[in-house]
Amino acid sequence: MATFDEVLEAIRSATSRSPRIVVGVSGYGGAGKSTLARRLLDEVPGSVRIRGDDFLHPELTRERSADWAAFDRTRLRAEVLEPFRAGRPGTFRRLDWATGTLGPAEPLPAASVLVVDAVGLFHHELDGLLDVRIWVDVDLDTATERGRARDLRRGDADVTVWDDVWAPNERDFAARHRPRERADLRYDASA
């Protein structure tokens, strides 16, 4: 299990080999991906974050899928990952959660390290585009409980989706795609 310092060292090592790298942070919903991503931004010079939540299809987030079909990996790849890795300017559109539509195009941020955090990120569709893959290693029951509690704090009273859709999606995705095993590092966020 990697410490935060070991995660930072892996990122430093990758940046010594390339002028631009992509750090993928994945794990179960509620595991602590966003917390780790924000912490990396504080510690890694020249880093920016792209949230996987901005690449979701809102109409699919409450549907069962063994492939996390709600996550638009194709759009993430085309709008963000490929242009960033090639050093090309680009634009991307964030999901406007209030309207359920894509917002206006905005420039891809200039950076040397792009941190992307999302469920379903370690998938064959994105092979070769993530330089450092970090799995936030929290068991599914703990992650689900954390996510449920977070949503309740935010005022979302319908937390049944965690048990009925998201936890089953996570189990199916893990069995099919083995994201934990595809990670370069497993980061313990259980504390």
Side-chain angles (χ1 to χ4, degrees), residues 10-27:
I11 293 169
R12 278 189 215 103
S13 178
T15 59
S16 73
R17 296 185 303 270
S18 177
R20 279 175 301 287
I21 68 159
V22 179
V23 176
V25 178
S26 198

Side-chain angles (χ1 to χ4, degrees), residues 7-87:
V7 168
L8 291 177
E9 183 52 40
I11 293 169
R12 278 189 215 103
S13 178
T15 59
S16 73
R17 296 185 303 270
S18 177
R20 279 175 301 287
I21 68 159
V22 179
V23 176
V25 178
S26 198
Y28 300 130
K33 297 175 303 299
S34 297
T35 301
L36 177 59
R38 286 189 299 268
R39 190 170 175 199
L40 290 172
L41 292 183
D42 290 341
E43 296 292 329
V44 177
S47 62
V48 296
R49 176 183 177 214
I50 297 291
R51 294 170 4 112
D53 286 358
D54 288 328
F55 291 84
L56 293 177
H57 297 287
E59 69 279 4
L60 298 178
T61 60
R62 294 183 178 265
E63 291 186 16
R64 288 279 288 115
S65 165
D67 206 35
W68 270 121
F71 182 28
D72 192 345
R73 285 178 286 271
T74 301
R75 188 165 65 84
L76 175 68
R77 179 184 190 112
E79 290 185 2
V80 175
L81 299 178
E82 289 175 344
F84 177 82
R85 289 181 59 83

Side-chain angles (χ1 to χ4, degrees), residues 7 22-28 33 36 40 52 66-68 71 73 76-77 81 114-137 170 172-187:
V7 168
V22 179
V23 176
V25 178
S26 198
Y28 300 130
K33 297 175 303 299
L36 177 59
L40 290 172
D67 206 35
W68 270 121
F71 182 28
R73 285 178 286 271
L76 175 68
R77 179 184 190 112
L81 299 178
L114 179 67
V115 177
V116 180
D117 59 295
V119 297
L121 187 62
F122 301 164
H123 186 280
H124 70 87
E125 290 178 13
L126 301 178
D127 282 352
L129 295 171
L130 306 173
D131 299 289
V132 179
R133 294 170 303 215
I134 305 162
W135 177 257
V136 180
D137 205 16
E170 295 282 21
D172 292 348
F173 187 88
R176 184 174 185 184
H177 296 284
R178 323 268 323 141
R180 185 176 188 267
E181 291 79 9
R182 294 171 64 107
D184 301 308
L185 297 164
R186 296 176 189 157
Y187 175 73

